[in-house]
């Protein structure tokens, strides 16, 4: 029989001081709690005050994580009601520090770990996870954690943080969520040799050994949780592409670094045309950086241009890349496979010469290299166009290609600025601009929710296009007037629900939905919506 203490120790059931007198009697809790019966709102205020007293963000992260382990409803209620304040703590940027210090701040295991020693047993050991109805899985192998590189098993904070955002941002019940660390070793000798390191303390397995372990994991998920969507997260670029290309037409999956980033950027591009007045299909777009983020954006843009009636060739002609060695052109011999579709017949030019030659309307930075949008590059963008858009997507804020202030100053107030990490509003010549933050959190919760709501069997490009369009259409005109290209974060749950409907509709159009109608989708959204309130029985 479950004791009162068991209930208090079960985060999914614990209401702590909110247990009523009747419940305290009924569940053997009398004497185990102080006298006062608090409501959820009072508990939330207490938690917030406790959290705010902590001197460092990492301490706040630890506090919030401990709250999640103690009282799930209270954690999610607090996160939902204060998403703007808490998201940077439970996700970027603080989660980056939490991952780096994972071995030092570890208190209690969360999520599911798979190592090469589990080969042949993955299906069986997944049965150790207490929940049976898993619908959302976020999995990483820890090799490219944010901009921090290979952190091995210490990257577990990423799947945990992302799934918290699925719950808070898209009303997905935590019992359906499973964070997974594919701990295949680490090539980061410093952490591997740290006596406190908690992961598999060997160099990474690669090649066939790696591929077959991932395949066993994907198969095991299909058998154990046939409804589950797998989100690949923070894999090194070549593996990210390899896994996405291998599985996207076979199982329900996507890669957020590639496709989620693409959709959030595309949405910003759509919204920017509401300011600039340019016709979307006439845009020329240049990327600085030709890695997974930039290429993912270009791939989705290709589909978006095609949806406007352009041929594949015409679409690609609008997309240009500059990487660390200059303009990506056919004559270069150092290009990666994912660069080839965007290598044009053109002379090799440096970044500034390329801006003058191509005259892009939109410049997108995804380099991880701060300061790479120089005064001259922004000035030239403003020389060629009245309202150029400057997307400085590299995270965290300190790595942005330029700051919001620089973009507005150097362009004489003409730039439409978007960043990957937040920037404070900037006043330039007595006008205040509110830079938009192209945060993936605007897209992936709605994609996941939409896929679940329509019982999707695959995630198509059409679903990401629909998500981007829906997001751009949900930015209010007064925000557009302030130069903001994304809705306010507190609206995230409503935004995600809108995106989910659009995604479900696109899945139906693409023939990958199993729900027969939008009414069924709406019914799913209402019946499964997690609201972080206490139920009567714990
Ligand atoms: P990646 O390592 O795959 O690619 C980086 C690319 O930048 C490479 O092509 C490299 O040649 C190029 N590069 C590096 N330094 C350069 C320089 N000085 N000049 C020109 N090119 C340079 O990395 P990625 O996964 O594509 O991520 C890149 C950045 O995008 C990261 O900083 C990440 O924070 C950011 N990102 C942002 C979002 C978002 O805002 N929503 C999402 C994902 C990634």
């Amino acid at each position: 029989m479950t004791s009162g203490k068991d209930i208090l120790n079960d985060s999914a059931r614990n209401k702590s001081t909110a247990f009523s007198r009747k419940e305290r009697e009924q569940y053997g809790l009398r004497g185990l709690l102080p006298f006062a019966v608090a409501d959820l709102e009072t508990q939330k205020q207490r938690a917030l005050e406790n959290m705010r007293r902590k001197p460092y963000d990492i301490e706040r992260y630890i506090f919030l994580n401990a709250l999640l382990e103690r009282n799930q409803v209270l954690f999610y209620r607090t996160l939902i009601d204060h998403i703007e304040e808490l998201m940077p703590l439970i996700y970027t940027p603080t989660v980056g520090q939490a991952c780096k210090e994972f071995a030092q701040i570890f208190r209690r295991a969360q999520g599911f770990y798979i190592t090469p020693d589990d080969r042949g047993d993955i299906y069986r050991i997944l049965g150790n996870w207490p929940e049976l109805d898993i619908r959302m899985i976020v999995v990483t192998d820890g090799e490219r954690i944010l901009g921090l590189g290979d952190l091995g098993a210490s990257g577990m904070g990423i799947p945990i943080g992302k799934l918290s955002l699925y719950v808070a941002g898209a009303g997905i019940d935590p019992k359906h969520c499973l964070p997974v660390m594919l701990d295949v070793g680490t090539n980061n000798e410093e952490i591997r040799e740290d006596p406190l390191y908690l992961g598999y303390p060997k160099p990474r397995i690669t090649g066939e050994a790696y591929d077959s372990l991932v395949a066993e994991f994907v198969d095991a998920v299909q058998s154990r949780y046939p409804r589950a969507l797998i989100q690949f997260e923070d894999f090194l670029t070549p593996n990210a592409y390899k896994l996405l290309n291998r599985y996207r037409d076979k199982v329900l999956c996507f890669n957020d670094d590639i496709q989620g980033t693409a959709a959030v950027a595309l949405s910003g591009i759509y919204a920017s045309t509401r300011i600039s007045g340019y016709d979307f299909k006439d845009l020329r777009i240049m990327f600085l950086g030709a890695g997974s983020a930039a290429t993912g954006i270009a791939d989705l843009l290709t589909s978006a241009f095609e949806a406007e009636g352009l041929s594949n060739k015409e679409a690609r002609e609008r997309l240009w890349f500059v990487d660390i060695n200059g303009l990506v052109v056919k004559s270069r011999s150092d290009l990666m496979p994912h660069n080839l579709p965007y290598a044009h017949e053109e002379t090799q030019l440096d970044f500034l010469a390329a801006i003058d030659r191509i005259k892009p309307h939109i410049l997108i930075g995804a380099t991880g290299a701060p300061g790479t949008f120089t005064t001259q590059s922004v000035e030239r963008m403003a020389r060629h166009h009245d309202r150029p858009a400057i997307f400085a997507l590299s995270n965290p804020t300190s790595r942005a290609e330029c700051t919001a202030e620089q973009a507005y100053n150097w362009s004489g107030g003409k730039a439409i600025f978007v960043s990957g990490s937040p920037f404070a509003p900037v006043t330039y010549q007595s006008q205040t601009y509110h830079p938009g933050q192209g945060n993936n959190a605007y897209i992936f919760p709605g994609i996941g929710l939409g896929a679940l709501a329509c019982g999707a069997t695959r995630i198509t490009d059409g679903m990401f296009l629909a998500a981007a369009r829906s997001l751009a259409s949900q930015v209010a005109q007064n925000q557009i007037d302030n130069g903001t290209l994304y809705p306010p974060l507190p609206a995230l749950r409503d935004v995600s629900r809108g995106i989910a409907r659009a995604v479900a509709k696109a899945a139906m159009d693409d023939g990958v939905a199993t729900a027969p109608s939008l009414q069924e989708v709406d019914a799913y959204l209402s019946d499964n919506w997690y609201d972080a309130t206490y139920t009567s029985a714990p």
Side-chain angles (χ1 to χ4, degrees):
M1 194 188 118
T2 321
S3 71
K5 202 72 188 163
D6 292 338
I7 293 175
L8 293 179
N9 284 334
D10 180 348
S11 161
R13 300 168 76 196
N14 184 19
K15 301 187 201 178
S16 182
T17 53
F19 279 116
S20 67
R21 302 240 175 271
K22 198 167 149 215
E23 286 169 334
R24 293 176 188 207
E25 177 62 38
Q26 196 176 349
Y27 300 115
L29 292 163
R30 281 182 64 187
L32 302 183
L33 292 161
F35 177 79
V37 176
D39 61 12
L40 184 53
E41 182 59 29
T42 311
Q43 289 183 313
K44 188 184 84 184
Q45 292 308 332
R46 183 183 295 119
L48 278 172
E49 277 170 33
N50 263 317
M51 183 203 77
R52 289 174 183 149
R53 273 217 306 254
K54 307 279 174 200
Y56 302 111
D57 283 349
I58 190 70
E59 294 292 332
R60 298 190 177 111
Y61 175 92
I62 293 168
F63 174 87
L64 289 168
N65 223 21
L67 181 61
L68 173 60
E69 283 166 14
R70 246 188 350 260
N71 185 335
Q72 203 176 73
V73 167
L74 179 54
F75 169 81
Y76 283 114
R77 186 74 262 152
T78 312
L79 179 57
I80 290 166
D81 291 348
H82 298 267
I83 187 109
E84 221 157 8
E85 179 180 356
L86 266 57
M87 198 162 97
L89 296 171
I90 62 136
Y91 205 64
T92 52
T94 309
V95 74
Q97 191 184 353
C99 287
K100 280 206 284 195
E101 296 176 22
F102 179 75
Q104 286 74 34
I105 66 175
F106 181 84
R107 279 154 165 80
R108 190 173 166 168
Q110 293 170 298
F112 199 83
Y113 294 84
I114 294 168
T115 73
D117 289 359
D118 300 315
R119 191 181 291 282
D121 286 331
I122 299 179
Y123 173 81
R124 184 171 62 82
I125 66 170
L126 273 176
N128 294 338
W129 188 254
E131 299 290 347
L132 298 177
D133 186 6
I134 295 300
R135 301 183 194 175
M136 264 315 309
I137 291 176
V138 178
V139 58
T140 185
D141 71 356
E143 193 167 9
R144 202 230 54 174
I145 294 300
L146 307 170
L148 302 169
D150 182 356
L151 297 186
S154 300
M156 183 50 127
I158 298 296
I160 291 170
K162 282 250 151 141
L163 283 163
S164 299
L165 294 178
Y166 269 109
V167 177
I172 293 179
D173 196 313
K175 70 176 184 230
H176 297 318
C177 297
L178 177 63
V180 176
M181 165 54 65
L182 269 181
D183 179 7
V184 297
T186 174
N187 295 339
N188 183 333
E189 281 181 32
E190 194 187 326
I191 62 169
R192 205 171 64 209
E193 280 160 21
D194 179 346
L196 290 183
Y197 181 56
L198 288 156
Y200 192 70
K202 297 192 179 165
R204 284 180 176 274
I205 57 168
T206 56
E208 163 55 22
Y210 175 86
D211 291 348
S212 58
L213 195 74
V214 177
E216 187 187 333
F217 163 69
V218 172
D219 285 348
V221 166
Q222 301 308 299
S223 313
R224 188 121 348 235
Y225 312 119
R227 302 171 75 165
L229 165 54
I230 301 175
Q231 176 176 326
F232 294 107
E233 188 70 36
D234 283 4
F235 285 76
L236 199 67
T237 299
N239 282 337
Y241 273 101
K242 188 172 68 180
L243 297 178
L244 182 61
N245 291 334
R246 184 168 298 159
Y247 293 113
R248 65 189 302 170
D249 296 328
K250 295 202 182 93
V251 303
L252 182 66
C253 71
F254 71 95
N255 179 302
D256 188 52
D257 306 298
I258 300 172
Q259 298 166 287
T261 302
V264 85
L266 175 60
S267 172
I269 293 170
Y270 281 139
S272 78
T273 62
R274 290 175 60 188
I275 298 178
S276 65
Y278 302 145
D279 194 341
F280 173 75
K281 65 178 188 317
D282 294 336
L283 294 176
R284 282 184 305 280
I285 297 164
M286 181 178 284
F287 296 88
L288 186 66
S292 59
T295 310
I297 299 170
D299 289 346
L300 191 63
L301 272 162
T302 305
S303 301
F305 282 131
E306 286 172 351
E308 300 282 331
L310 271 63
S311 69
N312 183 272
K313 183 168 172 290
E314 288 167 332
R316 294 214 158 129
E317 277 165 7
R318 277 146 214 277
L319 302 166
W320 294 81
F321 283 81
V322 176
D323 70 6
I324 198 145
N325 296 319
L327 191 62
V328 169
V329 291
K330 279 217 163 92
S331 56
R332 277 177 57 176
S333 55
D334 60 338
L335 300 177
M336 306 249 268
H338 61 264
N339 302 135
L340 298 178
Y342 301 101
H344 297 299
E345 207 66 76
E346 182 52 79
T347 41
Q348 216 170 329
L349 300 169
D350 68 18
F351 180 36
L352 289 180
I355 292 179
D356 286 341
R357 173 82 186 85
I358 314 300
K359 298 188 175 55
H361 303 86
I362 295 185
L363 187 57
I364 299 180
T367 57
T372 38
F373 286 169
T374 53
T375 320
Q376 295 98 315
S377 55
V378 175
E379 277 173 0
R380 281 170 199 225
M381 288 295 293
R383 199 179 303 157
H384 297 310
H385 296 288
D386 284 342
R387 297 309 305 268
I390 309 283
F391 285 50
L393 291 186
S394 289
N395 296 315
T397 309
S398 61
R399 296 217 173 186
E401 284 74 10
C402 69
T403 66
E405 195 166 12
Q406 289 168 336
Y408 297 127
N409 285 345
W410 295 341
S411 67
K414 287 177 163 187
I416 303 164
F417 181 76
V418 173
S419 55
S421 300
F423 277 98
V426 173
T427 303
Y428 175 79
Q429 293 191 344
S430 72
Q431 177 157 0
T432 301
Y433 298 88
H434 295 259
Q437 189 197 349
N439 194 319
N440 290 28
Y442 283 119
I443 288 285
F444 70 79
I447 288 277
L449 181 63
L452 296 185
C454 71
T457 54
R458 303 286 178 272
I459 307 277
T460 62
D461 267 2
M463 291 157 80
F464 279 102
L465 280 184
R469 284 202 196 99
S470 168
L471 178 58
S473 73
Q474 294 188 66
V475 188
Q477 191 54 45
N478 64 336
Q479 293 168 298
I480 290 283
D481 295 341
N482 283 332
T484 310
L485 302 186
Y486 297 96
L489 264 184
L492 182 58
R493 280 164 86 78
D494 289 340
V495 167
S496 297
R497 217 168 154 138
I499 292 175
R501 262 190 125 247
V503 165
K505 168 88 176 47
M508 287 172 181
D509 293 345
D510 288 348
V512 297
T514 52
S517 67
L518 269 180
Q519 282 93 309
E520 295 250 345
V521 169
D522 287 333
Y524 182 100
L525 293 174
S526 304
D527 296 349
N528 292 273
W529 191 248
Y530 176 77
D531 215 15
T533 47
Y534 291 129
T535 50
S536 46

